[in-house]
Amino acid sequence: MTNQGLRINDNQNSLKAGERGATLLEDFILREKITHFDHERIPERIVHARGAAAHGVFQVYESMAEYTKAGFLQNPKVKTPVFVRFSTVAGSRGSTDMARDVRGFSVKFYTEEGVYDLVGNNIPVFFIQDAIKFPDLIHAVKPEPHHEMPQAASAHDTFWDFISLMPESMHMIMWVMSDRAIPRSFRMMEGFGVHTFRFINEEGKGRFVKFHWKPLLGVHSVAWDEAQKISGKDPDFHRRDLWEAIDGGDYPEWEFGVQIVEEEDEHKFDFDLLDATKIIPEELVPVRRIGKLTLDRNPDNFFAETEQVAFNPGHLVPGIDLTNDPLLQGRLFSYTDTQLIRLGGPNWHEIPINRPVAPAHNNQRDGHMRQTINQGRVSYHPNSLGGGCPMQAKESMGGFVTHTERIESHKIRARSESFFDHFNQAALFFNSQSEPEKDHIVKALRFELGKVEVPAIRERMVGVLAQVDKTLASRVAEGLGIGVPAKLDAPLNMSIPADGDAKDFQPKPANKPIGSSPALSMANTVKDTVKTRKVAVLAADGVDDAALSGMKGALTAAGAQAKIVAPRLGNLTSAKGKEVKIDFSLLTASSVLFDAVYVPGGEKSVATLKGEADALHFINEAYKHCKTIAATGAGVELLRASYLGANKTIGENGEGDKIVADEGIVISRDAPVVKVAAAFINAIAQHRHWGREKKDQVPA
Ligand code: HEM
């Protein structure tokens, strides 16, 4: 059919002057089809262009009426529909999911009182304190404008040039250089509202609030070498993971957390609540878990939903309000403004994914692609001809009333001195990491700065790092083959007013006693489940039946997935002659796409795999990335033939019916497979065995 509803009789041939003749302009069917095709693309988001989304529901655990009058936070029986979009910031729409980057975590709540958007990230702080620096930050991180390189990567000169001159970014830099910036899955990352917001209760009492999303599967990340390889093997790794989990009924879940601070306590911290480069450490103000988000439905159409969804931190409901955080204030302008161009006009709220479930009545009219057919002659207020409708709503009837805040001040372009401590929390984050996490930060900085071409930028950056932690700076410097500069040559603080004196505006050194915050380390996350973890089972013809079915059964019962990876596709014939479906060939699978590896016995199967370089590489690489590896029966021989054997990691262990489980390597020659499976599952739940990294530099 054409878009006018006309049935098309021939969708194969355009209208021509004879069978071999030119195409006629008259062909309105051809023209309609091509014209629509020509206009299929809209501008991608200026930031967060790459993303994936899903539908779900939110339910509060108990009424939060004491703190907020927000309707969706009152009744545990109410299920509020949500649409959640995860994204990366720097890359274009087609870029890899595995870039080292912040992840967007945007939640649109379709509440009975209107749409509420919580447009957050998976990192609780931001690079800059004031929205006026946002275009500079984004210009610096995006591909460099003369040659448009590199794509979706911060490892280049303009980014580090900017960062090295912006000490306020240092806390965020610690997070972005940590493994938080390369999550294992969207389902295994935290989310944060970042800014301090306000809760307002029915009595009009306001309190400060920070928002958190805590994933029930824990917070887990991949290794940087792995991330780079995944980018080639499956650039859709995260969106595929989200899609498949929901498709398979493994609905991702997060608990909604709040840190609440009384208004009178606003100034009791040694940082400013309005400064988006700071967290409130959970040890100071605990995170109270107040509800649950469950994603249970994939979108029907990527463009109509994921691409056209329009978030905005200014989409509020009564009971939730803003603060004067200067980053948040700028965002309130930016999102509406950018959607005007991205979605083509002021009527984007009428696109189905953006429509509130609560009815929206107002006197806004017309504009590009208006969908609503407003009736009557009245489009103004006050009016008598329309009976005064639509009327203003009293506060008691759910009308939004901005929280009254006393402001008495000069009009001024300046930053409060309480924003000048740029290093204490950066140091707190670094100090709170486990040793492997610290090593990863050092390596990430060596990598990123190693890609920087201008030596002065590297040196300046190392100098700024020394303000955070001297050992960190010297370790990074060592990898770059430079020293740590004794002093920094330029004023560090870019927020000096033109007529200010640089020395009065210098960031304070990290001279306070630095504690540590266990909540900041992923080493302390949930490690008691293997739900949705992917295990590769390396097998070939002649595989041991009992081992294969026993291990598959145990893994599936624990909620993990076992996928058979073999030298070719099709079916395997097991030792007992049974046909077993192969999920992937060694060509289409790779260890980086799995969480763990199991090698069952079967002399013939193992002999075949020993002759496959890709099978040995699979083991070596999984070992390098500190994943759990198990082998039973003759499967132990494949491990011996790999780097593990060459390195004597498994030596003579694993003989008889003993089970050897050491740093994520679980082997046994003859133990019953259920027993080995129990040890294997326990080791997979640890996510990774980072301790191996220090001992073995695996050449894979
Ligand atoms: C705490 C700081 C910030 C956070 C957490 C944040 C988060 C996000 C997220 C998650 C998105 C993706 C929305 C989606 O999924 O469609 C986004 C988009 C965007 N952000 Fe931010 N952002 C921050 C700061 C800013 C600032 C300071 C500005 C500008 C002043 C800004 C401008 C934009 C723009 C223009 C988009 C594209 C929106 C669209 O086209 O739909 N952001 N941001």
Side-chain angles (χ1 to χ4, degrees):
M1 270 194 196
T2 67
N3 286 334
Q4 304 307 314
L6 177 71
R7 288 184 182 178
I8 295 174
N9 155 268
D10 181 350
N11 195 22
Q12 319 304 323
N13 299 294
S14 47
L15 191 67
K16 299 181 198 86
E19 280 166 9
R20 301 180 60 249
T23 303
L24 299 178
L25 185 62
E26 181 192 324
D27 192 349
F28 61 91
I29 295 177
L30 169 75
R31 279 188 290 117
E32 184 203 77
K33 185 171 174 182
I34 298 285
T35 304
H36 198 276
F37 168 76
D38 290 345
H39 295 260
E40 275 177 7
R41 297 284 174 271
I42 60 171
E44 64 174 33
R45 288 169 176 84
I46 187 84
V47 282
H48 295 263
R50 170 85 181 164
H55 295 270
V57 292
F58 174 79
Q59 265 178 296
V60 72
Y61 290 147
E62 56 183 327
S63 172
M64 292 300 290
E66 184 185 347
Y67 304 103
T68 174
K69 60 184 171 186
F72 76 106
L73 296 176
Q74 305 302 317
N75 184 350
K77 292 208 181 90
V78 171
K79 289 186 179 177
T80 302
V82 296
F83 189 67
V84 179
R85 182 174 181 268
F86 304 106
S87 47
T88 50
V89 177
S92 301
R93 255 195 72 177
S95 56
T96 171
D97 280 350
M98 291 309 294
R100 172 178 293 286
D101 201 349
V102 197
R103 299 299 183 286
F105 194 131
S106 304
V107 183
K108 191 177 279 294
F109 297 83
Y110 302 88
T111 87
E112 295 297 325
E113 297 171 303
V115 166
Y116 169 56
D117 286 348
L118 181 51
V119 198
N121 280 342
N122 78 325
I123 289 179
V125 288
F126 204 63
F127 295 96
I128 49 170
Q129 296 174 322
D130 191 309
I132 202 165
K133 297 311 295 168
F134 193 71
D136 297 291
L137 165 73
I138 300 304
H139 285 175
V141 72
K142 284 270 180 180
E144 299 192 9
H146 55 315
H147 53 26
E148 219 199 14
M149 291 191 275
Q151 178 57 246
S154 52
H156 59 110
D157 287 63
T158 56
F159 179 70
W160 288 102
D161 185 26
F162 176 79
I163 292 299
S164 62
L165 295 167
M166 291 289 289
E168 70 200 51
S169 65
M170 224 34 58
H171 187 193
M172 179 72 168
I173 286 298
M174 289 298 119
W175 285 80
V176 179
M177 292 301 115
S178 80
D179 295 346
R180 296 272 184 158
I182 39 173
R184 159 65 182 82
S185 158
F186 292 141
R187 303 175 293 119
M188 298 173 200
M189 64 185 201
E190 287 180 299
F192 304 91
V194 181
H195 312 280
T196 302
F197 293 89
R198 281 178 210 275
F199 264 164
I200 314 292
N201 69 11
E202 204 62 63
E203 288 78 53
K205 181 170 169 50
R207 290 181 177 88
F208 295 109
V209 60
K210 289 259 190 197
F211 294 121
H212 297 246
W213 294 109
K214 301 273 188 190
L216 292 193
L217 294 177
V219 193
H220 303 287
S221 289
V222 300
W224 176 232
D225 177 68
E226 192 184 355
Q228 294 173 80
K229 289 171 176 166
I230 294 173
S231 289
K233 297 281 181 187
D234 184 7
D236 303 308
F237 188 71
H238 280 154
R239 68 166 63 171
R240 190 185 310 285
D241 169 274
L242 180 68
W243 182 277
E244 288 180 352
I246 295 174
D247 213 33
D250 287 320
Y251 299 144
E253 292 172 316
W254 289 261
E255 283 186 313
F256 191 39
V258 291
Q259 284 175 298
I260 296 175
V261 175
E262 298 294 332
E263 277 188 343
E264 47 275 25
D265 292 339
E266 178 174 1
H267 301 294
K268 87 166 189 196
F269 303 98
D270 58 5
F271 51 87
D272 199 317
L273 288 181
L274 304 184
D275 173 0
T277 67
K278 304 295 183 299
I279 54 163
I280 308 178
E282 293 189 24
E283 291 72 18
L284 287 186
V285 179
V287 175
R288 176 168 166 196
R289 298 178 183 223
I290 65 164
K292 198 201 272 180
L293 166 72
T294 308
L295 298 182
D296 58 6
R297 183 161 64 88
N298 279 316
D300 291 313
N301 182 278
F302 184 90
F303 181 84
E305 301 176 88
T306 309
E307 196 60 10
Q308 293 201 116
V309 68
F311 293 95
N312 186 336
H315 292 166
L316 296 173
V317 288
I320 301 181
D321 210 338
L322 308 164
T323 59
N324 295 335
D325 172 342
L327 193 66
L328 174 59
Q329 294 278 318
R331 293 180 74 193
L332 296 173
F333 167 73
S334 183
Y335 289 73
T336 320
D337 182 48
T338 194
Q339 276 139 23
L340 286 174
I341 187 146
R342 189 169 74 82
L343 297 167
N347 286 314
W348 45 265
H349 59 281
E350 294 190 326
I351 297 171
I353 194 68
N354 295 322
R355 270 186 218 150
V357 293
H361 300 298
N362 59 36
N363 291 315
Q364 293 170 28
R365 292 290 186 274
D366 311 343
H368 272 291
M369 297 294 166
R370 183 68 170 175
Q371 311 287 306
T372 308
I373 303 176
N374 295 102
Q375 293 176 339
R377 61 204 281 209
V378 174
S379 56
Y380 53 88
H381 186 268
N383 68 69
S384 65
L385 294 178
C389 294
M391 292 174 189
Q392 295 177 172
K394 290 195 175 119
E395 189 175 1
S396 59
M397 293 166 65
F400 183 86
V401 178
T402 295
H403 183 59
T404 314
E405 187 184 1
R406 187 179 160 80
I407 300 180
E408 196 180 289
S409 203
H410 293 288
K411 207 187 270 183
I412 183 171
R413 273 190 200 279
R415 224 169 277 201
S416 163
E417 219 190 305
S418 54
F419 278 47
F420 282 2
D421 165 16
H422 304 319
F423 301 126
N424 270 304
Q425 287 207 351
L428 172 69
F429 180 81
F430 188 68
N431 280 354
S432 305
Q433 304 302 298
S434 62
E435 282 310 312
E437 286 172 308
K438 283 186 179 168
D439 290 345
H440 294 176
I441 294 174
V442 170
K443 279 194 188 150
L445 282 160
R446 285 179 180 172
F447 176 93
E448 295 268 320
L449 296 173
K451 295 266 187 178
V452 166
E453 286 166 9
V454 176
I457 299 177
R458 289 186 190 162
E459 281 159 24
R460 192 165 59 226
M461 197 53 227
V462 169
V464 183
L465 288 175
Q467 310 288 311
V468 177
D469 187 283
K470 296 254 173 331
T471 319
L472 166 68
S474 62
R475 288 183 67 192
V476 173
E478 190 194 331
L480 297 172
I482 59 175
V484 180
K487 75 173 186 50
L488 296 167
D489 53 7
L492 260 182
N493 198 336
M494 288 297 109
S495 58
I496 313 164
D499 54 358
D501 184 340
K503 73 177 182 336
D504 296 335
F505 289 85
Q506 286 305 291
K508 294 175 202 154
N511 57 2
K512 292 185 190 153
I514 301 295
S516 86
S517 165
L520 297 178
S521 166
M522 289 191 287
N524 303 320
T525 191
V526 177
K527 287 182 179 169
D528 60 2
T529 174
V530 296
K531 267 193 198 146
T532 78
R533 295 297 188 150
K534 277 192 169 171
V535 181
V537 180
L538 295 188
D541 286 330
V543 64
D544 183 291
D545 295 76
L548 186 64
S549 63
M551 186 60 86
K552 256 192 119 167
L555 287 169
T556 314
Q561 298 171 16
K563 301 283 178 192
I564 295 190
V565 180
R568 54 162 168 75
L569 284 175
N571 287 332
L572 287 179
T573 309
S574 72
K576 287 191 177 155
K578 261 178 65 186
E579 296 272 285
V580 182
K581 188 180 158 292
I582 300 168
D583 295 298
F584 300 101
S585 76
L586 283 165
L587 263 187
T588 60
S590 162
S591 82
V592 294
L593 305 177
F594 294 89
D595 293 294
V597 189
Y598 170 55
V599 189
E603 302 287 344
K604 190 175 156 204
S605 167
V606 173
T608 308
L609 291 172
K610 269 188 182 170
E612 292 278 346
D614 285 345
L616 294 168
H617 180 70
F618 206 104
I619 304 278
N620 292 346
E621 202 176 46
Y623 184 60
K624 177 188 175 97
H625 297 143
C626 303
K627 294 177 182 174
T628 304
I629 300 171
T632 52
V636 177
E637 292 310 318
L638 187 67
L639 267 50
R640 286 216 167 101
S642 77
Y643 178 79
L644 276 79
N647 199 39
K648 305 236 176 337
T649 305
I650 61 168
E652 294 305 310
N653 294 330
E655 299 301 342
D657 58 5
K658 216 171 102 193
I659 300 174
V660 179
D662 188 22
E663 288 205 300
I665 308 296
V666 181
I667 46 178
S668 180
R669 269 280 177 186
D670 304 318
V673 73
V674 280
K675 286 201 174 159
V676 182
F680 187 36
I681 287 167
N682 185 36
I684 300 171
Q686 303 310 304
H687 180 59
R688 295 299 165 84
H689 307 274
W690 297 120
R692 292 206 311 243
E693 261 175 343
K694 268 247 149 67
K695 288 188 224 154
D696 284 336
Q697 301 285 322
V698 185

